[in-house]
Amino acid sequence: VVRDFGHDGRQRAGGSSALGGGAIAVGATIDVGSAQLGVIAAFGLSNRWRTRQSTQQLSTDPNLAGGLQSEFNRVITDNRAVANALVGFGLELDRHKFRWTNLYIRDTIKQARLGRGTEANAVGRDFLRQDTAWFERQLIDTQLVAELNFDPLKVELRGAYANTQREAPYERSFIYVRTNQPTPTGNRFINDLGGNQNGSARFAFSDLNETLWSGGIDVTYRALSNLTL
């Protein structure tokens, strides 16, 4: 069960409230002597909030026929900012064509999750889960393509570079436990860092950086009017 709410707490379709953003795209073709040069550029920026209320259940039976291992009601809020840019150039020179395409995407999410529920292996206890995280993802991609036509010989050359990054510098997860026992603190959610039954804390850091170089060549020769190699 998932319900979406706007920033004012009212349920609304889509579940997103844009704080700001926009996009622009321009293009032009220029004659350079006997050649034609084409340029295209597009830029976009968005900043959105999204809040979701959900019920999350985990069954003790793989076929979902048994009881529940855990059941939590959770509220998840994301603040997501995305920036992107595309710049491309194309050149037609006689029978030859050249293209250079560049892409950039930056996607950042700040997320908070709060959930309250029960677990089958801790009868009588209530749990409160609190998670916060920050994710930064980035893609840079550039590609060069040359289509050379030396009729009856055609050659296509391709080369590309891509770099992806993902950083999650500080993921925090806390579990608080309420025992519901007749003790001075039995009616309060407490985390004494004693493990799942008495609360716990987890901190995670991750950093991914991947670079890819690629290239290719296609050669086509028309030997006869109905035969191409």
Side-chain angles (χ1 to χ4, degrees), residues 141-227:
D141 183 87
T142 182
Q143 184 182 55
L144 278 169
V145 177
E147 298 178 1
L148 309 177
N149 187 354
F150 307 101
D151 194 28
L153 176 68
K154 295 182 179 179
V155 179
E156 180 178 317
L157 304 172
R158 300 180 306 278
Y161 163 84
N163 175 262
T164 57
Q165 298 180 18
R166 181 188 183 276
E167 298 180 13
Y170 222 111
E171 295 181 76
R172 308 180 187 185
S173 179
F174 299 93
I175 297 179
Y176 298 83
V177 181
R178 186 174 65 187
T179 63
N180 297 313
Q181 297 294 319
T183 63
T185 60
N187 63 341
R188 300 179 181 274
F189 285 99
I190 293 178
N191 186 339
D192 63 5
L193 304 180
N196 227 13
Q197 295 294 319
N198 301 301
S200 62
R202 181 179 65 88
F203 298 84
F205 303 84
S206 61
D207 189 358
L208 169 68
N209 191 319
E210 182 177 2
T211 300
L212 175 66
W213 293 89
S214 61
I217 179 172
D218 295 331
V219 179
T220 305
Y221 181 77
R222 189 175 71 252
L224 300 172
S225 59
N226 60 350
L227 177 63

Side-chain angles (χ1 to χ4, degrees), residues 2-190:
V2 178
R3 300 185 181 92
D4 291 327
F5 295 83
H7 66 281
D8 55 1
R10 298 180 180 179
Q11 188 172 353
R12 66 181 65 205
S16 62
S17 176
L19 296 183
I24 184 174
V26 295
T29 301
I30 306 171
D31 291 326
V32 183
S34 60
Q36 277 193 329
L37 176 64
V39 181
I40 186 172
F43 305 93
L45 180 65
S46 67
N47 186 5
R48 297 175 177 269
W49 284 88
R50 185 186 186 195
T51 297
R52 293 160 289 164
Q53 180 177 330
S54 64
T55 299
Q56 299 179 345
Q57 299 172 328
L58 181 63
S59 175
T60 56
D61 189 331
N63 298 318
L64 304 180
L68 293 177
Q69 180 177 339
S70 64
E71 180 176 13
F72 278 81
N73 292 315
R74 307 194 76 182
V75 175
I76 305 172
T77 297
D78 297 330
N79 179 204
R80 183 178 184 183
V82 180
N84 59 79
L86 171 69
V87 179
F89 302 91
L91 178 66
E92 293 189 11
L93 180 62
D94 194 15
R95 293 177 297 179
H96 310 308
K97 298 179 181 180
F98 305 88
R99 297 192 305 273
W100 182 25
T101 307
N102 303 275
L103 175 66
Y104 172 81
I105 301 174
R106 180 80 175 185
D107 189 345
T108 303
I109 298 178
K110 183 179 182 181
Q111 185 179 86
R113 303 190 299 271
L114 184 63
R116 177 177 170 178
T118 58
E119 296 184 358
N121 59 355
V123 179
R125 294 172 179 254
D126 295 322
F127 295 86
L128 188 69
R129 294 180 178 176
Q130 175 184 345
D131 304 275
T132 57
W134 177 278
F135 304 100
E136 297 181 35
R137 295 173 291 184
Q138 179 176 284
L139 167 66
I140 298 176
D141 183 87
T142 182
Q143 184 182 55
L144 278 169
V145 177
E147 298 178 1
L148 309 177
N149 187 354
F150 307 101
D151 194 28
L153 176 68
K154 295 182 179 179
V155 179
E156 180 178 317
L157 304 172
R158 300 180 306 278
Y161 163 84
N163 175 262
T164 57
Q165 298 180 18
R166 181 188 183 276
E167 298 180 13
Y170 222 111
E171 295 181 76
R172 308 180 187 185
S173 179
F174 299 93
I175 297 179
Y176 298 83
V177 181
R178 186 174 65 187
T179 63
N180 297 313
Q181 297 294 319
T183 63
T185 60
N187 63 341
R188 300 179 181 274
F189 285 99
I190 293 178

